[in-house]
Amino acid sequence: MGTMSLGTLLAIVVPLVVVAILIAAAALLLVRRRHLRERFGPEYERTVEGADSRLAGERELRTREKRHDSLDIRPLQSSVRDRYSRDWTNVQGEFVDRPEDAVHDADRLVTSLMRECGYPTEGFEQQLEDLSVEHGRTLEHYRAAHDIEALSTRHKATTEQLRGAMVHYRALFDELLSDGGQARHARA
């Protein structure tokens, strides 16, 4: 009774190997999930909730990372950052007398800054996706500002909403301006 048959040995070893592979796959999935949560912040939950499944949402986020890696996000020269800061100060000063115009100008200035940093600006949804990779924590500000800007285009935004839009635009503007000092790419 000293030796095990090959069949018995395989019956023990094969399930152990399968279990080890499943554990390794689950660990990899958890590491990837943590990476996406840390990278995208609140945008992680928003994307996953809007997808058919958690895996589909995570696949979408990884697709965004790959696209972002292909972009030429470049650092801004200090003179360019200074110019944008002055332009923002001018837009903010315009708010007192012409709040709707100031909000439209703030939208254009943020879009211009995005372009200057190397982000494509060919549509709001694509802008959100591209920005989400590095700026997921300020995207809600950008969405809110954009919604108010759309209201103001139809002259349906209150002064308080317009003031809020300026604050929201400023959050993304400041982050882009400060992050514009370094070129950043996805960390695989």
Side-chain angles (χ1 to χ4, degrees):
M1 177 121 169
T3 62
M4 258 191 249
S5 71
L6 181 58
T8 306
L9 187 58
L10 286 175
I12 293 170
V13 171
V14 168
L16 289 175
V17 168
V18 169
V19 167
I21 289 171
L22 290 175
I23 289 172
L28 180 61
L29 186 64
L30 290 175
V31 166
R32 281 183 170 173
R33 184 165 291 158
R34 186 175 338 111
H35 161 77
L36 291 172
R37 275 195 168 129
E38 289 171 2
R39 181 125 200 227
F40 285 90
E43 191 64 15
Y44 173 88
E45 288 303 327
R46 181 183 182 85
T47 302
V48 166
E49 286 172 11
D52 293 337
S53 69
R54 179 173 298 280
L55 290 177
E58 290 174 350
R59 190 170 33 254
E60 161 66 24
L61 294 172
R62 284 192 302 277
T63 298
R64 290 182 193 183
E65 280 184 319
K66 285 182 183 137
R67 176 181 159 89
H68 186 272
D69 282 350
S70 72
L71 300 177
D72 183 23
I73 307 300
R74 55 195 172 271
L76 298 176
Q77 295 178 352
S78 61
S79 62
V80 173
R81 283 197 307 277
D82 292 346
R83 178 174 46 89
Y84 274 99
S85 289
R86 284 190 307 275
D87 289 350
W88 181 266
T89 300
N90 292 336
V91 167
Q92 215 166 325
E94 176 185 18
F95 185 84
V96 174
D97 294 324
R98 299 186 340 271
E100 281 187 346
D101 291 340
V103 167
H104 299 312
D105 289 346
D107 180 67
R108 284 191 287 277
L109 188 59
V110 166
T111 301
S112 175
L113 179 56
M114 287 171 48
R115 189 177 310 108
E116 188 88 40
C117 291
Y119 286 98
T121 56
E122 70 261 5
F124 183 68
E125 289 303 318
Q126 188 62 57
Q127 289 174 5
L128 289 174
E129 288 181 13
D130 291 339
L131 286 168
S132 71
V133 178
E134 293 291 340
H135 304 284
R137 285 167 176 59
T138 53
L139 273 191
E140 280 309 307
H141 287 287
Y142 191 41
R143 280 187 183 96
H146 182 77
D147 290 346
I148 296 166
E149 198 265 345
L151 276 177
S152 75
T153 300
R154 299 187 312 271
H155 307 292
K156 296 194 185 253
T158 67
T159 303
E160 199 51 42
Q161 286 173 313
L162 294 170
R163 190 179 332 285
M166 293 297 289
V167 170
H168 291 308
Y169 277 127
R170 181 67 189 245
L172 180 60
F173 180 85
D174 285 346
E175 190 170 295
L176 285 169
L177 203 59
S178 65
D179 283 357
Q182 309 97 21
R184 295 169 63 178
H185 294 283
R187 295 168 286 287

